[in-house]
């Protein structure tokens, strides 16, 4: 029998060639991309990766805002002083000075002078050796709301009794800290283990040359008071929170007490935010 002719078989392209796509395209899937990114990241040093993350984070608005706040916290006292103070501090030219009154606490001078700017003036000035103010604090039980030593005494110039912090005048040439320690012991009997300056200010610089230096006294130890013969002082301990309420209600009228207590409270609040 004659042999049957084999049917020609059509050759077709290998299925693999049609189905197979470049490996790169397979990696285009989201999961593959993520895996590839992780693999690449693992090859890089951790330090470089950390730096990259920080740089990326700093570009975000929140991070920029946080960085700006952090920079704002740095002390700006020197910059502020530079803006307030002139390049050269001018002084008055004193022409004459006459003592018109002298007492045990202060003396009054009548000064003729040429003020900075060229104005001729006559000024009556109360000259004083300066005073110290003591913010005596008992914070053993509560550092955020400590007890404060306050005094009540009659002030004839004000025509009334006033609640105020312990204070007193300095002797000529006396060290302010030693003067503060002396005054606290004399008026209240308290001594303190820790002392630090809080602020210095002029109560009424228009005519009064008295400088008042405020000290914070901590670690109180009770003792016997020895006030001067002309001093009739009653004292007690009041919580800082209660003092602030009294100030808001207008019950505290003494300037040194107002300024010292409010500044101290603000300082404590600032420490709490850190």
């Amino acid at each position: 029998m004659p042999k049957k002719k084999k049917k020609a078989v059509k050759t077709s392209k290998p299925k693999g060639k049609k189905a197979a796509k470049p490996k790169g395209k397979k990696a285009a899937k989201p999961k593959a991309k993520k895996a590839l990114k992780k693999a690449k990241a693992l090859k890089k040093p951790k330090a470089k990766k950390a730096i990259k993350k920080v740089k990326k984070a700093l570009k975000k608005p929140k991070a920029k805002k946080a960085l700006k706040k952090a920079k704002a916290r740095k002390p700006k006292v020197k910059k502020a002083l530079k803006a307030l103070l002139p390049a050269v501090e001018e002084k008055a030219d004193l022409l004459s000075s006459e003592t018109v009154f002298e007492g045990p606490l202060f003396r009054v001078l009548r000064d003729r002078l040429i003020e900075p700017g060229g104005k001729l003036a006559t000024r009556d000035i109360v000259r004083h050796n300066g005073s110290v103010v003591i913010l005596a604090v008992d914070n053993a039980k509560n550092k955020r709301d400590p007890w404060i030593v306050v005094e009540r005494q009659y002030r004839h110039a004000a025509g009334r009794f006033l609640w105020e912090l312990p204070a007193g005048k300095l002797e000529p040439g006396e060290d302010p800290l030693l003067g503060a320690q002396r005054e606290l012991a004399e008026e209240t009997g308290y001594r303190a283990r820790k002392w630090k300056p809080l602020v210095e200010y002029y109560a009424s610089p228009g005519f009064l040359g008295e400088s008042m230096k405020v000290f914070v006294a901590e670690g109180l130890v009770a003792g016997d008071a020895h006030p001067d013969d002309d001093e009739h002082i009653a004292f007690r301990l009041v919580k800082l929170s209660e003092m602030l309420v009294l100030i808001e209600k207008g019950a505290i009228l003494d300037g040194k007490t107002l300024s010292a207590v409010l500044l101290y409270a603000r300082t404590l609040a600032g420490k709490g935010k850190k």
Side-chain angles (χ1 to χ4, degrees):
M1 281 178 73
K3 290 180 180 179
K4 290 182 181 180
K5 287 184 181 179
K6 290 182 180 178
K7 288 183 180 179
V9 179
K10 287 183 181 179
T11 58
S12 61
K13 292 180 183 178
K15 289 181 180 179
K17 283 187 181 179
K18 190 175 182 180
K21 292 182 181 178
K23 289 182 181 178
K25 289 186 179 179
K26 268 190 179 179
K29 293 179 181 179
K31 285 184 181 178
K33 272 189 175 180
K34 196 174 181 181
L36 185 63
K37 195 175 181 182
K38 280 185 180 179
K40 284 181 179 178
L42 287 170
K43 292 176 185 177
K44 293 180 182 179
K46 287 183 180 180
K48 285 186 179 179
K49 190 178 178 184
I51 291 166
K52 193 176 180 181
K53 278 186 178 181
V54 172
K55 285 181 178 179
K56 193 177 180 181
L58 287 172
K59 290 176 184 177
K60 294 178 182 178
K62 284 183 181 179
K64 282 186 177 180
K65 196 175 180 181
L67 187 64
K68 196 175 181 182
K69 281 184 179 179
K71 285 181 179 178
R73 289 191 194 109
K74 293 180 181 178
K76 293 183 179 180
V77 178
K78 286 184 180 179
K79 193 175 180 181
L81 285 173
K82 194 175 180 181
L84 289 171
L85 295 174
V88 179
E89 189 72 22
E90 294 182 82
K91 292 186 178 181
D93 186 10
L94 185 64
L95 303 176
S96 65
S97 184
E98 176 191 0
T99 301
V100 294
F101 171 80
E102 187 162 5
L105 294 177
F106 59 85
R107 63 190 186 282
V108 180
L109 302 180
R110 181 160 294 158
D111 292 349
R112 291 185 67 254
L113 64 149
I114 299 174
E115 296 182 338
K119 183 182 177 182
L120 180 65
T122 300
R123 305 289 183 195
D124 290 336
I125 304 296
V126 178
R127 292 296 176 193
H128 191 282
N129 292 327
S131 297
V132 285
V133 183
I134 305 97
L135 184 62
V137 175
D138 182 359
N139 57 7
K141 292 182 179 178
N142 192 333
K143 293 189 180 297
R144 295 297 168 206
D145 192 14
W147 296 90
I148 294 173
V149 179
V150 290
E151 301 175 344
R152 184 178 184 268
Q153 59 180 317
Y154 181 74
R155 294 296 195 180
H156 181 60
R160 62 198 304 170
F161 282 91
L162 295 177
W163 284 102
E164 54 190 88
L165 296 179
K169 67 180 180 66
L170 291 169
E171 298 300 330
E174 185 178 20
D175 179 80
L177 177 56
L178 295 178
Q181 292 170 341
R182 172 180 51 76
E183 285 295 333
L184 180 64
E186 285 180 359
E187 294 187 359
T188 69
Y190 279 109
R191 299 182 187 277
R193 297 189 184 95
K194 186 179 177 183
W195 291 80
K196 58 184 177 182
L198 179 66
V199 70
E200 179 182 5
Y201 69 98
Y202 289 88
S204 186
F207 69 93
L208 179 60
E210 179 186 16
S211 161
M212 305 197 84
K213 297 178 177 68
V214 184
F215 290 89
V216 177
E218 298 175 325
L220 300 183
V221 179
D224 295 326
H226 302 282
D228 293 336
D229 293 336
D230 62 342
E231 292 178 322
H232 302 282
I233 299 171
F235 70 89
R236 60 175 292 188
L237 275 73
V238 180
K239 282 188 176 181
L240 174 61
S241 57
E242 292 174 357
M243 284 292 292
L244 295 175
V245 172
L246 291 172
I247 288 171
E248 287 174 6
K249 290 184 176 181
I252 305 296
L253 300 176
D254 177 60
K256 62 182 178 290
T257 305
L258 288 168
S259 54
V261 170
L262 291 173
L263 181 56
Y264 179 72
R266 182 181 175 184
T267 304
L268 280 187
K271 286 180 181 178
K273 289 178 182 177
K274 290 180 182 179

